[in-house]
Every structure is written in structure tokens, then in C-alpha cells.
Amino acid sequence: GVFNNIGDELRRQLASAQLAAIGQRTQAALEDENMFVAISPDRRHQNTEGLLQHKLLRDLAARHVFIVRGQAGRERLKQALVERGAQPDYIQAYTRSIPDEYQAEPIIEAIESGKIQYVMLTSYEAFENLRSMLGAKSDALLASTKLIVAGERIAAGIRETGSQFELLVAKSASDEAMLKALG
């Protein structure tokens, strides 16, 4: 499973912890490993703000919380947990980076020829990385596509670049929400 590489001690600690998961896929992966998810947002609000509405996260006085996230994620969840009395720490599970080896030309050609008409972005970092990968023509190339973004926060960041992109904003990063944003 997804959690094969975690140590036995961490697995034991997770088994006795109250687990929270924002997304359905994360919840399913945990449950596939026989780890019960006690805290998750409703399907319409699968984001940090939705998670923070859960009744079990209202009073966290002196509770130790581990936040599993990617490198350099938002601070919103940690700040809110501290305000509620928790002692949060991060466990970095992944990074959002440009692959060491990639070929931009086939992507550029596919966009220019109309073979790529939509680009799905689940983070602002993915947008920045894609722009870097595409080089000097990135904004013109991406302006010829429709960008499907996972939430208004990512859309706002993209709008702040000043470039004119056509944005389709999904309610969350779930497959269902991203596909629904296609219209």
C-alpha cells in the first residue's frame, strides 16, 4: 500500500491517533491500511477551511498534532490549530518540483497545435513550475488554453500575475470537482 515505507513505530502511533484527512483519496488510502479517519470535511468543502469546521477540531488545548503536507504549503491550518490550543508540527511527505529531466518542446507543440486545450492545476506551485518549464513563451501558451484550478485561492494567485488566462475554478482538488469545472 501507500504507507509501506513508514516505520513500525509511526504505524503504531497512527493506529492510536485520531486521524484527519481533507480529501477523499487520502481518506481511502488511510482506510485501505486499516487506519480509521475520524475527521474529514464534507464533500462540498474539501479544503483546509472545510476541515477546520469539524467539531472535533474546535478545542485542541495541549493536543499534539502532526500535519502531513508537501514542502512549503500554506500556514493557514497550523495557525488555526495554534489558536485553538494545539501544538502542531509538520511532516513533509512530498515536494512540488520540476522534474530533473523533461522535454518542453512536445508540450509546447501540443499546445500550439491545439492538442492540449485544458490544463489542470491543483496548486499555485504547479502553475509556477509549469511556467518555468515552458520558458519565455509560457504565458502566451497558457493563455491559449483553459486553466482548471482547484479553488479560488489558486485562481486569485494566478490572476495576480497580471496575465490574461481563462480560468475554470473547481470547488476542490477532487477528481469529481475538477471534472465538474469543465462544464
Side-chain angles (χ1 to χ4, degrees):
V2 175
F3 298 96
N4 284 344
N5 295 327
I6 66 170
D8 290 337
E9 179 61 26
L10 180 55
R11 186 178 288 280
R12 276 193 293 281
Q13 289 176 359
L14 289 174
S16 64
Q18 279 193 312
L19 301 179
I22 290 178
Q24 293 172 333
R25 283 192 172 187
T26 302
Q27 183 170 347
L30 288 165
E31 290 176 353
D32 284 348
E33 298 291 330
N34 297 315
M35 296 183 208
F36 176 70
V37 174
I39 304 166
S40 62
D42 69 50
R43 289 180 182 235
R44 293 169 295 149
H45 301 99
Q46 290 186 337
N47 54 30
T48 297
E49 289 71 18
L51 184 68
L52 288 170
Q53 291 177 15
H54 197 283
K55 63 183 177 187
L56 293 177
L57 294 180
R58 289 188 187 139
D59 180 13
L60 298 170
R63 300 289 299 268
H64 204 102
V65 177
F66 287 102
I67 302 169
V68 180
R69 71 173 193 168
Q71 174 188 16
R74 294 198 302 162
E75 296 294 318
R76 171 75 179 107
L77 180 58
K78 183 177 182 178
Q79 290 168 349
L81 295 176
V82 166
E83 289 168 8
R84 296 173 187 194
Q87 301 166 9
D89 283 311
Y90 290 125
I91 297 174
Q92 182 181 315
Y94 60 91
T95 60
R96 296 178 184 107
S97 60
I98 296 172
D100 291 336
E101 295 182 28
Y102 68 91
Q103 295 180 350
E105 276 310 310
I107 300 168
I108 292 169
E109 289 172 13
I111 293 173
E112 288 176 339
S113 69
K115 289 181 182 173
I116 294 178
Q117 299 172 9
Y118 296 89
V119 176
M120 290 188 166
L121 299 164
T122 57
S123 70
Y124 184 77
E125 291 82 3
F127 170 73
E128 288 180 317
N129 289 344
L130 182 58
R131 286 174 87 192
S132 293
M133 291 170 66
L134 295 176
K137 301 192 314 187
S138 67
D139 285 5
L141 288 165
L142 293 175
S144 71
T145 69
K146 291 181 172 81
L147 304 181
I148 302 166
V149 298
E152 188 54 49
R153 185 177 50 82
I154 298 167
I158 292 172
R159 285 185 197 109
E160 286 177 14
T161 67
S163 295
Q164 297 301 309
F165 300 112
E166 185 173 348
L167 301 176
L168 304 173
V169 183
K171 299 235 183 257
S172 74
S174 72
D175 291 348
E176 179 183 27
M178 294 293 280
L179 290 171
K180 189 174 182 180
L182 280 168

